[in-house]
Amino acid sequence: MSRIETTFARLKEQQRKALIPFITAGDPALEITVPLMRSMVEAGADVIELGVPFSDPMADGPVIQKACERALAAGTGLPDVLAMVREFRRGDDTTPVVLMGYLNPVECMGYERFAETCAEVGVDGVLLVDLPPEECDEIAPLFKERGVDLIFLVAPTTTDTRIGRIAEAASGYLYYVSLKGVTGSASLNVDEVAARVETIRKLAQLPIGVGFGIKDAQSARAVSRVADGVVVGSALVNQVAEHADDPMAMTAAVSEILAGMRAAMDKP
């Protein structure tokens, strides 16, 4: 089994849910990312989503847009992100790492080279926001044959028919976008999320992670009651920005948020 499959199977056996933090690679500096990834695992992360910085992140709100700007200003490119995963794997061979980003940097590198390098350095999954499942028939085999999961977003407005198409193309887990908006949006209706997750479960056999709008331990706990995984991004990236000049304070702030979420999610 893949690292992602193994992680979700272990958590299911333990009757626990996956805590999936997101940070932007290279924000605010390249040398910060890998130590922060390790600290997040120590604080309770089960899967790490690592954002590939891009100049036009259409699904992201101001917090992650600015993180991309900082990372790009620091000189972070896709090869650097892949090198970070390689470095992370030197000390951690069990925590799944998912790269989340957009098509342009991958197209510049080339799909086959990208898929090969992902497998080589230890990337477990790839989520390309602007890659629709209808257009991935030629691309998907490049990842599948190398054991790299292709993860797709499901929106509140996605039809049942399209959810079925997404489920056919996806592996690893599905990422349900809990809001009709961008990352960091304010309101989260857990009842609506629960109803949509129930619908998705009838159409897909994969674990379901829920993200967008999860800001604190309370919202993480509520979502963990209805989903298989909880994705938190903007709340952490805010702390990275706030403590950009103090890596120790940054690590402590991010770890505190994750530890609080982990405790709330595990509470009976």
Side-chain angles (χ1 to χ4, degrees):
M1 291 195 299
S2 69
R3 290 189 191 93
I4 291 175
E5 190 176 0
T6 298
T7 296
F8 277 102
R10 170 179 55 81
L11 291 168
K12 184 176 182 180
E13 184 177 346
Q14 297 171 346
Q15 298 184 322
R16 300 169 67 230
K17 304 300 177 70
L19 178 57
I20 309 174
F22 168 97
I23 56 171
T24 300
D27 175 30
L30 279 76
E31 65 272 13
I32 297 254
T33 301
V34 174
L36 188 56
M37 292 168 69
R38 300 195 195 286
S39 296
M40 292 194 300
V41 174
E42 292 175 3
D46 298 296
V47 179
I48 292 175
E49 286 188 356
L50 194 58
V52 179
F54 180 54
S55 57
D56 299 284
M58 66 184 73
D60 294 304
V63 172
I64 295 177
Q65 287 178 16
K66 290 177 182 177
C68 285
E69 291 174 4
R70 291 191 297 269
L72 291 170
T76 310
L78 181 53
D80 301 300
V81 180
L82 292 163
M84 292 171 189
V85 179
R86 186 193 300 274
E87 182 181 347
F88 177 75
R89 283 283 168 246
R90 293 189 181 120
D92 187 322
D93 195 41
T94 58
T95 305
V97 176
V98 173
L99 298 189
M100 185 172 181
Y102 297 84
L103 280 171
N104 288 53
V106 176
E107 290 189 342
C108 289
M109 175 176 282
Y111 287 107
E112 187 163 7
R113 181 184 168 203
F114 175 62
E116 285 178 353
T117 309
C118 282
E120 177 192 345
V121 304
V123 171
D124 300 285
V126 173
L127 195 169
L128 297 169
V129 174
D130 48 350
L131 174 64
E134 294 84 359
E135 298 181 15
C136 76
D137 290 345
E138 294 182 9
I139 299 168
L142 299 175
F143 294 93
K144 184 175 182 180
E145 65 191 24
R146 292 169 173 84
V148 178
D149 289 319
L150 266 184
I151 297 163
F152 288 90
L153 299 174
V154 177
T157 54
T158 304
T159 65
D160 290 0
T161 300
R162 194 157 192 271
I163 291 172
R165 177 67 182 90
I166 291 170
E168 290 175 0
S171 58
Y173 61 94
L174 295 176
Y175 186 138
Y176 177 63
V177 177
S178 64
L179 303 168
K180 298 174 185 175
V182 294
T183 56
S185 298
S187 58
L188 177 66
N189 187 317
V190 177
D191 291 336
E192 289 182 1
V193 171
R196 288 298 290 159
V197 167
E198 184 178 353
T199 297
I200 296 168
R201 288 199 195 283
K202 295 174 182 177
L203 301 166
Q205 303 302 312
L206 294 170
I208 301 168
V210 173
F212 288 49
I214 297 167
K215 299 179 178 298
D216 51 28
Q218 181 180 358
S219 54
R221 175 178 169 81
V223 170
S224 73
R225 293 302 181 261
V226 301
D228 302 299
V230 175
V231 185
V232 54
S234 294
L236 305 180
V237 177
N238 264 326
Q239 296 302 315
V240 172
E242 186 173 335
H243 302 287
D245 296 328
D246 189 342
M248 289 185 64
M250 176 197 306
T251 299
V254 169
S255 296
E256 183 179 0
I257 290 173
L258 288 177
M261 289 183 171
R262 177 79 273 169
M265 290 164 61
D266 288 347
K267 188 176 179 180

